[in-house]
Amino acid sequence: MRLLIAAIAACLSLGMPGAAAADNARPGAKPVEWWQAVGRLNIANKNMCTGALIAPDLVLTAAHCLFDPKTGRRVDPASIWFEAGLSGRRAAALRQVSRAVMHPQYRYRPAGTHQVGSDLAVLKLDRPISASRVRPLATSVGAARGDTLGVVSYTQHHATRVSLERSCSVLARKSRTLVMSCLVDFGASGSPVLEMRPGQPPRLVSVMSAKAAVGHRKVSIGTALDATLRDLVQRAG
């Protein structure tokens, strides 16, 4: 399949529903599930995206989530809260963002024409999250056509409980841009796209950027991870 994107929808960020409260249970009191590394990003109490913990104090998401969709201005990182493992009104951990670093080639564009292929950002949390409470996701740079994927996200229809799609795949790849059969909804911006292999824990290979269409087929677009992630992590500190 040639990489021809007929139309990209507005970014998948969404107006913010109610905020969560941190789960104050003792660390280790509950089983640590891998999906708890995925959390909702509360952005200035106005918008939401999805992010994933990749280190005790680092969250990976989409760069366009760092901009106000109405004004186009970059938001203050301190106005963003990461609600890890949000389920109902409780989160496995609640942390404030202290710093945000974007892919060096990313430039924010108006809704409907978002730049893909560099839509990555790393968020530094004000405090680490203990691995006994939330275990970070492993990452991989090997996403290729035909790979079986899963997408974990918070969306307009699942704003307080995680949604998992297990049966999608990579349809095409060009440089860092992935075209996928995964069907996503608003709120899924920044969602981790996971490599799913039987008997192995999932590995994060891409970040969800936008809805799109190839001809009449609905698809999604993601930014594949590469060596740039290491630089973002270093810059985030």
Side-chain angles (χ1 to χ4, degrees), residues 37-41 50-62 82-84 95 97 99 101 121-125 129 190 204 229 236:
V38 182
R40 189 177 72 179
L41 291 172
T50 302
L53 197 71
I54 58 171
D57 60 349
L58 297 176
V59 170
L60 184 64
T61 191
F82 178 61
E83 302 166 335
R95 295 290 188 272
V97 173
R99 186 181 310 141
V101 177
V122 172
L123 312 180
K124 174 82 169 182
L125 303 179
I129 299 175
L204 200 165
L229 178 60

Side-chain angles (χ1 to χ4, degrees), residues 23-32 92-93 95 128-134:
D23 189 339
N24 293 318
R26 291 183 298 105
K30 299 178 181 179
V32 178
R95 295 290 188 272
I129 299 175
S130 170
S132 64
R133 177 164 294 224
V134 179

Side-chain angles (χ1 to χ4, degrees), residues 78-92:
S79 71
I80 305 174
W81 290 79
F82 178 61
E83 302 166 335
L86 178 64
S87 181
R89 296 287 296 174
R90 309 296 294 183

Side-chain angles (χ1 to χ4, degrees), residues 55-123:
D57 60 349
L58 297 176
V59 170
L60 184 64
T61 191
H64 74 254
C65 292
L66 302 182
F67 294 83
D68 186 313
K70 293 184 178 180
T71 67
R73 296 177 180 174
R74 188 165 175 176
V75 302
D76 180 358
S79 71
I80 305 174
W81 290 79
F82 178 61
E83 302 166 335
L86 178 64
S87 181
R89 296 287 296 174
R90 309 296 294 183
L94 181 63
R95 295 290 188 272
Q96 187 176 16
V97 173
S98 62
R99 186 181 310 141
V101 177
M102 295 187 303
H103 191 287
Q105 295 179 12
Y106 182 77
R107 299 294 182 272
Y108 184 77
R109 295 174 181 172
T113 59
H114 285 295
Q115 184 176 351
V116 296
S118 57
D119 193 9
L120 292 178
V122 172
L123 312 180

